[in-house]
Amino acid sequence: MGGCSQKFVSSFFRRETEVHSREVRLQVTMYEDCVKSTEDYYFLCDNEGPWSTVLESLAIIGIVVTIILLLAFLFLMRRVQDCSQWNVLPTQFLFLLGVLGLFSLTFAFITQFNQQTAPVRYFLFGVLFALCFSCLLAHASNLVKLVRGRVSFSWTTILCIAIGVSLLQIIIATEYVTLMMTRGMMFMHMTPCQLNVDFVVLLVYVLFLMALTFFVSKATFCGPCENWKQHGRLIFVTVLISIIIWVVWISMLLRGNPQFQRQPQWDDPVICIALVTNAWVFLLLYIIPELCILYRSSKQTCPLPGNACPAPAYQCSFRVENQELSRARDSDGAEEDVALTSYGTPIQLQTVDPVQECFIPLPKPSSQEDAEIQSP
């Protein structure tokens, strides 16, 4: 009986070991098949590189959230009654399309660098970010006028500013990609260091747009209209966080990875992490707060004119040269002088009696002049 039990136990453990080894071989075979079948897309099933799976999930969630926000903007465009707020909605809709492109571009960096993904990376990365920062710049430029109590730009003007400013990056990226492809796909013959340097140099204009938007958004803090300043603060914080993200990933790409001897293994993860992070910053710090402000304003049945901009103190001083005198009749039928300020507020000055005579006082001579006049 004892010998039979020992044989049974040994055979059981032998079968379990064989099953486990077959499962391990099957997993290895499946992973090898995944790598061989996908080739350039091996990051999508790489168990040793979880960064790709995390970024994939964040990008997909970002795409879904962005589409929902696009539909929300389309719904609110019909309900916003304030023209100054409505004029910026087409530009913000274009901004959301750019953010949607950034989330979609993530998959070009998760896949391996090859002849298909190289032109997409070098062209769309700078163009999409230039489009987003151009929309922020156009919105900030419009806010500079609104916080000072001036009239807003028309929606076509704001949209043309955003598109026109981003055109230069489109031209730069098109020329670079065309030049590289006409020379026989030089992307594949360049070292990782040369690829990274070219990638960063291609984004110089985007860095200029970021700096310009940062300083223009600071100018929105100066003005009497407090309600418009909250939009400027959103742009300021969004651009500030974006600048920090860009400084970190560019420093890591050009200096950090070579020093840690992780080039080119860390190049794609660094750019991809920066891409997804910056896109989420655009949504969380700019678009969603703007959408909340629009929703609150759309619930108002009678929007305040000019977003309740108070009159500056220096404009409230009544200057005589800027006043227009008009005639008005009071309840008794007497004529009155009324001063109209620049805001159209009538202010009563003095009741005029047409029978009353006007006496002009003469200058009183001094004692010496009086003595000279009396002396012969």
Side-chain angles (χ1 to χ4, degrees):
M1 292 293 293
C4 293
S5 60
Q6 290 180 356
K7 290 181 181 179
F8 176 76
V9 171
S10 61
S11 62
F12 175 77
F13 279 108
R14 190 181 305 111
R15 285 197 300 270
E16 289 294 327
T17 305
E18 291 176 356
V19 170
H20 180 70
S21 61
R22 281 199 300 268
E23 289 179 353
V24 172
R25 287 197 301 269
L26 180 61
Q27 291 179 357
V28 173
T29 305
M30 289 176 61
Y31 176 72
E32 291 177 352
D33 292 340
C34 177
V35 173
K36 292 179 181 178
S37 61
T38 55
E39 294 181 354
D40 296 329
Y41 306 95
Y42 68 91
F43 282 130
L44 299 177
C45 57
D46 187 6
N47 295 327
E48 297 180 358
W51 65 269
S52 59
T53 306
V54 174
L55 293 177
E56 247 181 88
S57 305
L58 291 175
I60 293 174
I61 296 173
I63 290 172
V64 175
V65 172
T66 306
I67 293 175
I68 295 174
L69 293 176
L70 283 170
L71 297 176
F73 264 92
L74 287 176
F75 174 74
L76 288 178
M77 286 178 70
R78 302 177 57 184
R79 301 187 60 183
V80 175
Q81 300 178 12
D82 190 357
C83 293
S84 299
Q85 287 185 342
W86 193 94
N87 287 336
V88 78
L89 290 183
T91 304
Q92 290 177 334
F93 189 84
L94 180 64
F95 178 86
L96 271 174
L97 292 178
V99 175
L100 183 63
L102 290 177
F103 282 122
S104 303
L105 186 62
T106 305
F107 298 96
F109 287 91
I110 292 178
T111 56
Q112 194 176 15
F113 187 83
N114 54 33
Q115 295 182 359
Q116 288 75 33
T117 59
V120 174
R121 292 184 184 186
Y122 278 78
F123 179 79
L124 287 181
F125 190 91
V127 169
L128 292 174
F129 271 111
L131 182 62
C132 292
F133 287 116
S134 298
C135 293
L136 293 177
L137 178 61
H139 189 188
S141 302
N142 188 50
L143 290 174
V144 170
K145 294 188 64 179
L146 291 175
V147 296
R148 288 162 174 78
R150 299 175 185 174
V151 182
S152 169
F153 288 124
S154 63
W155 69 270
T156 53
T157 303
I158 302 175
L159 193 61
C160 288
I161 291 174
I163 297 175
V165 173
S166 61
L167 279 178
L168 184 56
Q169 179 63 30
I170 297 176
I171 295 173
I172 294 173
T174 303
E175 294 227 352
Y176 177 83
V177 172
T178 304
L179 182 64
M180 296 296 288
M181 295 184 69
T182 53
R183 291 185 176 181
M185 286 303 297
M186 290 184 62
F187 290 113
M188 311 308 299
H189 305 291
M190 297 172 64
T191 63
C193 182
Q194 292 174 339
L195 289 171
N196 293 337
V197 170
D198 281 8
F199 189 79
V200 174
V201 170
L202 203 60
L203 302 174
V204 170
Y205 181 69
V206 181
L207 296 173
F208 169 75
L209 285 180
M210 293 173 61
L212 183 60
T213 307
F214 177 77
F215 288 112
V216 174
S217 63
K218 286 186 65 176
T220 60
F221 299 159
C222 304
C225 300
E226 294 293 334
N227 288 337
W228 292 112
K229 291 183 180 180
Q230 57 183 340
H231 302 274
R233 285 191 287 267
L234 293 177
I235 298 176
F236 177 80
V237 173
T238 301
V239 177
L240 179 62
I241 301 299
S242 299
I243 290 174
I244 296 174
I245 293 173
W246 278 60
V247 169
V248 171
W249 79 259
I250 290 177
S251 303
M252 194 68 185
L253 187 68
L254 298 182
R255 300 295 299 274
N257 291 352
Q259 289 182 359
F260 291 123
Q261 296 181 355
R262 293 292 184 177
Q263 195 177 53
Q265 291 84 4
W266 284 7
D267 289 348
D268 289 346
V270 165
I271 300 175
C272 197
I273 291 171
L275 178 64
V276 175
T277 305
N278 210 160
W280 272 107
V281 166
F282 287 152
L283 289 184
L284 297 178
L285 298 184
Y286 176 68
I287 287 296
I288 294 180
E290 284 284 335
L291 192 65
C292 296
I293 295 173
L294 287 175
Y295 178 72
R296 289 196 299 266
S297 64
S298 65
K299 294 177 65 176
Q300 296 178 356
T301 56
C302 182
L304 297 176
N307 220 2
C309 175
Y314 61 85
Q315 290 183 357
C316 293
S317 61
F318 303 134
R319 299 180 181 179
V320 178
E321 61 270 18
N322 292 333
Q323 294 177 349
E324 298 179 359
L325 296 179
S326 64
R327 293 290 182 180
R329 297 277 183 179
D330 61 359
S331 60
D332 298 331
E335 293 183 351
E336 298 177 349
D337 281 341
V338 179
L340 294 179
T341 66
S342 58
Y343 294 95
T345 305
I347 297 178
Q348 181 177 341
L349 294 180
Q350 184 180 1
T351 302
V352 178
D353 189 358
V355 183
Q356 183 181 1
E357 295 181 357
C358 298
F359 296 95
I360 301 177
L362 297 176
K364 184 178 180 180
S366 61
S367 58
Q368 295 180 356
E369 292 178 351
D370 193 8
E372 293 177 357
I373 293 174
Q374 293 179 0
S375 63

